[in-house]
Amino acid sequence: MPSESVRKIVSSSPYWPVVRHPVLRRILPGVGLSYIGDGMSTVAVTWLALELAPEGSRGTWVAVAAVAYILPGALGGILFGRLLSARSGAQLAGWDAILRATALGLIPVMYVLDALSMGLYIALLAASSLLHAWGTAGRYTLLTEVLQERHHLAGNAVITIFSEFATVVGPPVAALLIAWGGAATVIAVDAATFALLALTYRMAAPRTAASDTPRSQASRSAGFRAILGDRRLSGLLALTFGYFLLFGPVLIALPVLVSEELGGSAAMLAWYYTAFGIGSVIGGLITGYLRNWSLWPTTIGIVIGFGAALLPMGLGAPTAVALVSFGLAGLIWAPYAATSTVLFQRAATPQQLPQVLAARGTVMIVSVPLGNMIGGPLSTAIGARQTLLASAIATVLLGLVAAVVVLLRRGRAAAA
């Protein structure tokens, strides 16, 4: 019977043990909604900043708001190490959701009361992101706590799928809500998704692990010290930092290329982002089927392949070819988060894992904005197309260097 065939196909999927897990099947819908809320807020945060900022300095305040919504998470990843390192994955993710729901929820409240100044807005955005690195670490730690190791890649891939899907769906939904009720309404919806997520973590996984028993007496820098003490982890962190750093200039150079060098419109730029987003969703869906691949070569291959996929844009390919290549870049980009996280999950001890993942999250939070800062002056100095080409070549070289290092280490280990 066809229905029986469908059931066999579904049950053989690498994602089936993840979505059918008694804890995860209750948590994942809330995780997905919160990602969509965040995808909506990427538009609403800057739009509300435009509304609140004084004339003549709107560009500056928009940049400050965007930074405030991201970078404090890196500071929180370091400051709260001693306090949070002993907690379970559900607690870490739940506390992050509570803080984001509270801080973001105050923004529309103060807006309605006509008491939302630009300074207060920036402060609330910054507060909302303080536990972001720990919340991300909590999600991946929870997967490690409840899933068998062979299902970790698929579990990580589900998080990637949610994240990439939100980048496609979130912005257009935000645009519709902004037209209906304003940017503050979108942020209120985002806050509500995090409130629901916090409740989900509390009800569905109150004690996933021995959450009240300290894992270790960790210092604020315990995660970084654990990474630096392990050559595999330190090499993987360096690769991750470089990979995301080199993606930063792409996000700056692409709009400049479309508007100034190609003479395109905002619609053309949207097509580029849509192509990348669709590719990323497909790449996320494929990730779970890479479970039998060797993860180190796969992770390094992703870096090389992503850089190669960007080359046509930097070499002046026709727009149709460039769109396809950027979509292919998105497809190759997506599995990196899942495969690299599995390598962290396998290399770190259960006691170290929350600190290690929080340290990794801290580095990832910093790397893309730092790349953005490099991309602006670079685009001005050498041009947007040349900046894209430089990022593509540097990414390929980064992957090749990582491949050589891994091969040399394996050679020395075999000789010993």
Side-chain angles (χ1 to χ4, degrees):
M1 295 176 63
S3 59
E4 183 65 26
S5 299
V6 171
R7 279 197 294 269
K8 287 182 179 180
I9 292 172
V10 171
S11 62
S12 65
S13 165
Y15 299 110
W16 186 247
V18 179
V19 299
R20 291 298 299 166
H21 190 279
V23 171
L24 296 180
R25 70 185 180 191
R26 290 177 288 174
I27 289 176
L28 288 176
V31 173
L33 280 176
S34 72
Y35 269 112
I36 293 175
D38 259 355
M40 293 162 56
S41 282
T42 56
V43 176
V45 163
T46 53
W47 203 261
L48 186 55
L50 284 171
E51 182 179 338
L52 297 173
E55 292 284 347
S57 59
R58 285 181 172 174
T60 300
W61 282 112
V62 167
V64 171
V67 169
Y69 192 52
I70 298 172
L71 279 186
L75 181 64
I78 298 171
L79 289 180
F80 303 124
R82 191 183 300 275
L83 174 65
L84 299 178
S85 60
R87 307 302 173 180
S88 72
Q91 282 184 317
L92 293 175
W95 290 352
D96 174 47
I98 290 171
L99 179 59
R100 289 177 80 82
T102 302
L104 293 176
L106 285 172
I107 291 173
V109 171
M110 300 306 291
Y111 181 84
V112 169
L113 296 175
D114 199 24
L116 186 64
S117 65
M118 196 70 214
L120 178 58
Y121 180 52
I122 297 299
L124 289 172
L125 288 176
S128 74
S129 68
L130 270 175
L131 295 181
H132 180 59
W134 289 99
T136 302
R139 281 193 293 275
Y140 289 115
T141 299
L142 175 63
L143 293 175
T144 307
E145 291 168 345
V146 302
L147 291 174
Q148 296 177 357
E149 184 177 289
R150 68 178 184 272
H151 300 312
H152 288 173
L153 180 62
N156 295 343
V158 169
I159 302 299
T160 298
I161 293 167
F162 285 154
S163 176
E164 301 300 343
F165 180 74
T167 65
V168 178
V169 174
V173 172
L176 292 174
L177 283 178
I178 288 172
W180 173 70
T185 301
V186 177
I187 295 176
V189 172
D190 190 17
T193 66
F194 277 105
L196 177 62
L197 180 62
L199 181 63
T200 300
Y201 276 118
R202 183 66 186 91
M203 300 300 294
R207 292 184 181 275
T208 310
S211 57
D212 294 327
T213 303
R215 285 182 166 97
S216 61
Q217 289 297 111
S219 67
R220 291 175 179 173
S221 59
F224 288 101
R225 287 192 288 107
I227 290 173
L228 293 175
D230 187 312
R231 288 189 301 175
R232 296 170 300 170
L233 291 177
S234 57
L236 182 57
L237 186 66
L239 178 65
T240 300
F241 175 78
Y243 185 44
F244 283 86
L245 175 75
L246 293 171
F247 184 55
V250 175
L251 298 176
I252 303 301
L254 180 59
V256 177
L257 176 71
V258 170
S259 63
E260 296 185 4
E261 298 187 24
L262 299 179
S265 63
M268 180 185 287
L269 179 61
W271 276 111
Y272 274 98
Y273 288 138
T274 299
F276 188 89
I278 292 172
S280 297
V281 172
I282 296 172
L285 290 169
I286 292 172
T287 301
Y289 294 90
L290 306 179
R291 54 188 169 181
N292 295 325
W293 292 29
S294 180
L295 288 182
W296 263 112
T298 300
T299 302
I300 294 172
I302 288 169
V303 176
I304 297 172
F306 180 75
L310 293 178
L311 285 173
M313 299 173 63
L315 293 172
T319 300
V321 176
L323 282 169
V324 172
S325 69
F326 203 47
L328 178 62
L331 187 149
I332 297 170
W333 165 273
Y336 184 88
T339 60
S340 62
T341 301
V342 169
L343 292 173
F344 276 103
Q345 289 166 328
R346 291 180 180 177
T349 66
Q351 291 73 27
Q352 294 173 330
L353 187 59
Q355 302 100 294
V356 165
L357 290 179
R360 168 185 174 271
T362 298
V363 168
M364 292 175 66
I365 288 170
V366 171
S367 56
V368 174
L370 184 57
N372 295 158
M373 293 170 61
I374 295 170
L378 197 60
S379 296
T380 301
I382 67 174
R385 191 182 302 281
Q386 290 74 17
T387 299
L388 286 169
L389 182 59
S391 292
I393 293 173
T395 302
V396 171
L397 291 176
L398 173 67
L400 291 174
V401 169
V404 169
V405 170
V406 170
L407 289 173
L408 288 175
R409 286 181 178 174
R410 289 184 176 179
R412 285 196 294 266

